[in-house]
Amino acid sequence: MEFVIAKSGGFCRGVKKAVDTALAIDPKNTYIYGEIIHNPEVVQTITDRGIAMVEELDQVPCGATLIIRSHGVGRAVYELCKERNITVVDCTCEFVRRTQTIVKEEYAKGKTIIIIGEKTHPEVVGLNGWCDNKAYVFSSEEEDFSILPPNDCCVVAQTTYSEEKFEKIIKNLNNIREKTVEVFKTICYTTIGRQNEARELAKECEAVLVIGGLNSSNTNKLFDICTKHCSNVFRLSSAADLEYKTIKRFKKVGIVTGASTPNAQTQEVLLKMEMETEAKATSMEEVVANMDSQPKFKKGQLIKATISSADDSGVAVLLPLAKKEVILDKEEVDCEVYNKDDFNAKLGEEIELMVVAVNPVKLSQKQIKAVKEEEAAIAEIQAGKEFEVVCTGFNKGGLTSELGSYTVFVPAREIRSGYVKELDKYVGKKLRLRLIEIKTERRKEIIASQRVIIEEERAAKEAAKAAKEAEFFASIHVDDVVEGKVERVTAFGAFVSVNGFDCLAHISDLSWTGVKSVTDVLEIGKKYEFKVLKIDEEAKKVSIGYKQLQAQPWELAAEKYAEGDVIHGKVVRIVPFGAFVEVEKGIDGLVHVSQISHEFLENPTTALAIGQEIDAKILKLDCAEKKMTLSIKALEPKPENLERKPRAAKAEDGEVKEKARKPREAKPADEVTEWHDGGLGGVSIADLLNKNS
């Protein structure tokens, strides 16, 4: 007879944590909310320590300690414990806690919660407690889904539920509510792995023994799966249920254990079979010998071994179903300094080891740490944590990589938003990923997405930007004086950061006198004060000015100039009635044609040219009106015997005759047209005539 033991037998991580806690905690005034696990023997061991198990919270006195089992509880239990000063030791399985969080968050969004699982199972009852006990619970694909309300639904699953049944229920549910149902496949990945392993074992064996508490949900599901693929499946709660005569005729027997079944119970079943066969022709020793001839262990497998002795070379351990000891080399012992006496003091105790080689079998305790770290990392990844890998290859479907003992595949559509054509460019680059799916049927594979992270970050960035912009526009107003840092310049102006928002200071708003380059006024990286000129919230544009906070040239002119002063300037424009002289940037004065020379000039160009530098006397200064009247001839002596030449007039016969100049009558001041040149300076014609000397 050949025995094949399922690799994933024994306590799962969540159950082990709860049991270890119950076995280690001070039992005084300590209670457990319900059975710690669905295994009578383990429950009895814990209660023998003096820890009471209660079904109602009223049974726990105020100030006591309460252990929450791996199945978890509803929100009301935590609230009541707080009110009654009960110390909670929370051993809720991490996968159950993740499902509770999903139920809580989706219910808060107004969604109808659907739980797929056994209605009376403590985990399902606890999940329902996170949505005010208003969830719809379905345990079969044949149930009536039409009772669901029309609003959006969220579906979660009991972590130990049958994956096959879950898929059937989802299929039927989608036929009714396809567009309004969001599905979270919250079945624990170790549960899925055990179910797949049980399925394969049942296919290859003539008979299967399923060991575990009769009220254990996950063990019963393993039994159901095995019965679909093998006609000889036997359910055992312990070794006492085994009848050797029912299996002795089978050549190959599989052994499957639930997540709440301790390894000791499996060993008891094997020991009983050995005792039953001692009286037979074939002893258990021969059976084990036959098994030893087969590759019993797999590389990477975690096994429990019993310490039998220790010496300077290492620790001798006895493996399950092995007829002889195997040496655990001292270099593979997980301790800082190896001491054989430490292990000789623990003879008969079990330790967990990893198979690192077969034929012959080699073991390691150190490498378990890496495996457990990987399991913890995978659990976090399943809970939604982002992880990183370096792309090592690609195929026509996407990118490939590794994460510990897992292969990682990123479909091309999940690399980033939009179509990715050149996959080879990603080889060697770091990928930031989030889990889509984990596959363990044939090999351990992670299907992941980078696109979801990129899109989430983009959405978050845009939301933060929108919020910041809204805050900015709510706090800024036209005519406000703000401080800003010059970030960059262009030919048309400077972009200035004001409270993190880019505002434009146009080049025309930098100086009253005009500039050729922005950097003539502003320096990149420096902070200045600006005045808000225009706000366009819809277009997300703000115009600011620098010159508006600076004094205009004419505002300072009264401090620099006075009537009678002599200035030095440059002719910048000539018109028929005179010439404009730039006194300084932004201030021009007018030299009327009559003030250029003592001699009569028909046109100013006969005496002046653009660009010519001259000295002139200020005859009149009006800063408020931005006018300055200048005279060049006032600085020159008047020639003696200067006679005015009379104008010539044509006679009727074409001869030129002298024409006496008739005195012009002066017009009233209000009839004289006033000249004003764009605010750069000017005088009235009346002023010019009255000042003419």
Side-chain angles (χ1 to χ4, degrees), residues 419-451:
Y419 176 69
V420 178
K421 184 178 181 181
E422 298 174 325
L423 297 175
D424 58 313
K425 290 188 176 181
Y426 285 88
V427 176
K429 292 186 177 180
K430 186 181 290 185
L431 303 174
R432 298 171 56 211
L433 304 173
R434 189 166 294 150
L435 177 72
I436 296 177
E437 180 184 4
I438 285 185
K439 295 183 177 180
T440 56
E441 292 85 353
R442 290 178 293 177
R443 59 176 181 173
K444 295 193 291 184
E445 183 181 27
I446 294 174
I447 312 297
S449 171
Q450 181 173 250
R451 175 180 59 83

Side-chain angles (χ1 to χ4, degrees), residues 445-488:
E445 183 181 27
I446 294 174
I447 312 297
S449 171
Q450 181 173 250
R451 175 180 59 83
V452 294
I453 297 175
I454 295 173
E455 291 179 350
E456 283 178 5
E457 290 180 342
R458 183 185 298 120
K461 188 175 181 181
E462 290 175 353
K465 181 182 178 182
K468 192 173 182 180
E469 286 179 351
E471 182 181 357
F472 173 78
F473 281 105
S475 63
I476 196 167
H477 309 87
V478 173
D479 292 334
D480 282 355
V481 176
V482 296
E483 184 181 65
K485 181 181 179 182
V486 180
E487 298 290 350
R488 61 191 187 279

Side-chain angles (χ1 to χ4, degrees), residues 216-503:
S216 169
S217 173
N218 71 85
T219 308
N220 288 332
K221 289 180 179 64
L222 295 177
F223 177 78
D224 292 341
I225 290 170
C226 290
T227 55
K228 291 181 180 179
H229 302 282
C230 180
S231 56
N232 303 295
V233 182
F234 304 93
R235 184 76 167 81
L236 310 177
S237 63
S238 65
D241 297 335
L242 173 66
E243 293 185 9
Y244 179 73
K245 63 182 180 180
T246 61
I247 63 168
K248 66 179 183 179
R249 69 182 186 275
F250 303 114
K251 294 181 179 180
K252 191 173 184 179
V253 178
I255 298 178
V256 176
T257 59
S260 56
T261 306
N263 289 329
Q265 284 189 339
T266 305
Q267 294 291 343
E268 288 174 3
V269 171
L270 294 172
L271 180 61
K272 183 174 182 179
M273 284 192 290
E274 179 181 4
M275 295 173 64
E276 291 283 351
T277 55
E278 283 180 352
K280 312 300 177 187
T282 303
S283 67
M284 187 63 181
E285 184 178 3
E286 291 174 330
V287 172
V288 173
N290 291 334
M291 291 173 63
D292 284 342
S293 64
Q294 302 296 326
K296 185 170 52 179
F297 300 113
K298 294 180 180 180
K299 188 176 180 180
Q301 181 180 353
L302 295 180
I303 58 175
K304 293 286 187 179
T306 304
I307 300 173
S308 57
S309 64
D311 57 26
D312 293 334
S313 63
V315 182
V317 296
L318 185 62
L319 304 181
L321 301 179
K323 66 177 182 178
K324 58 184 179 181
E325 295 174 336
V326 176
I327 299 298
L328 170 64
D329 190 278
K330 67 178 182 179
E331 299 299 328
E332 295 299 328
V333 176
D334 186 15
C335 60
E336 293 184 4
V337 179
Y338 173 73
N339 185 342
K340 63 181 180 180
D341 295 334
D342 293 340
F343 289 91
N344 282 322
K346 300 178 181 178
L347 298 182
E349 292 187 14
E350 275 191 342
I351 58 174
E352 191 173 33
L353 302 173
M354 175 185 283
V355 178
V356 294
V358 294
N359 297 327
V361 174
K362 292 184 179 180
L363 306 170
S364 174
Q365 189 183 39
K366 280 185 176 179
Q367 292 191 32
I368 292 180
K369 183 179 180 181
V371 172
K372 294 202 177 286
E373 288 177 350
E374 181 179 275
E375 288 180 354
I378 293 299
E380 290 180 341
I381 288 171
Q382 285 193 304
K385 182 179 179 181
E386 177 185 321
F387 64 100
E388 294 183 347
V389 298
V390 174
C391 177
T392 57
F394 66 96
N395 54 43
K396 64 180 181 180
L399 307 177
T400 58
S401 184
E402 295 82 31
L403 183 67
S405 61
Y406 287 79
T407 60
V408 179
F409 179 65
V410 183
R413 66 179 180 277
E414 298 295 338
I415 298 173
R416 59 174 175 80
S417 299
Y419 176 69
V420 178
K421 184 178 181 181
E422 298 174 325
L423 297 175
D424 58 313
K425 290 188 176 181
Y426 285 88
V427 176
K429 292 186 177 180
K430 186 181 290 185
L431 303 174
R432 298 171 56 211
L433 304 173
R434 189 166 294 150
L435 177 72
I436 296 177
E437 180 184 4
I438 285 185
K439 295 183 177 180
T440 56
E441 292 85 353
R442 290 178 293 177
R443 59 176 181 173
K444 295 193 291 184
E445 183 181 27
I446 294 174
I447 312 297
S449 171
Q450 181 173 250
R451 175 180 59 83
V452 294
I453 297 175
I454 295 173
E455 291 179 350
E456 283 178 5
E457 290 180 342
R458 183 185 298 120
K461 188 175 181 181
E462 290 175 353
K465 181 182 178 182
K468 192 173 182 180
E469 286 179 351
E471 182 181 357
F472 173 78
F473 281 105
S475 63
I476 196 167
H477 309 87
V478 173
D479 292 334
D480 282 355
V481 176
V482 296
E483 184 181 65
K485 181 181 179 182
V486 180
E487 298 290 350
R488 61 191 187 279
V489 300
T490 65
F492 56 82
F495 286 96
V496 180
S497 177
V498 177
N499 294 331
F501 187 85
D502 266 4
C503 303

Side-chain angles (χ1 to χ4, degrees), residues 4 25 84 97 171 174 186 206 216 291 297 333 432 480 491 507 555 582 599 641 651 666:
V4 182
I25 198 170
R84 300 182 58 198
R97 186 177 291 111
K171 182 178 180 181
N174 281 336
T186 54
E206 296 178 51
S216 169
M291 291 173 63
F297 300 113
V333 176
R432 298 171 56 211
D480 282 355
I507 192 169
E555 292 176 2
E582 183 183 66
E599 296 182 359
N641 302 320

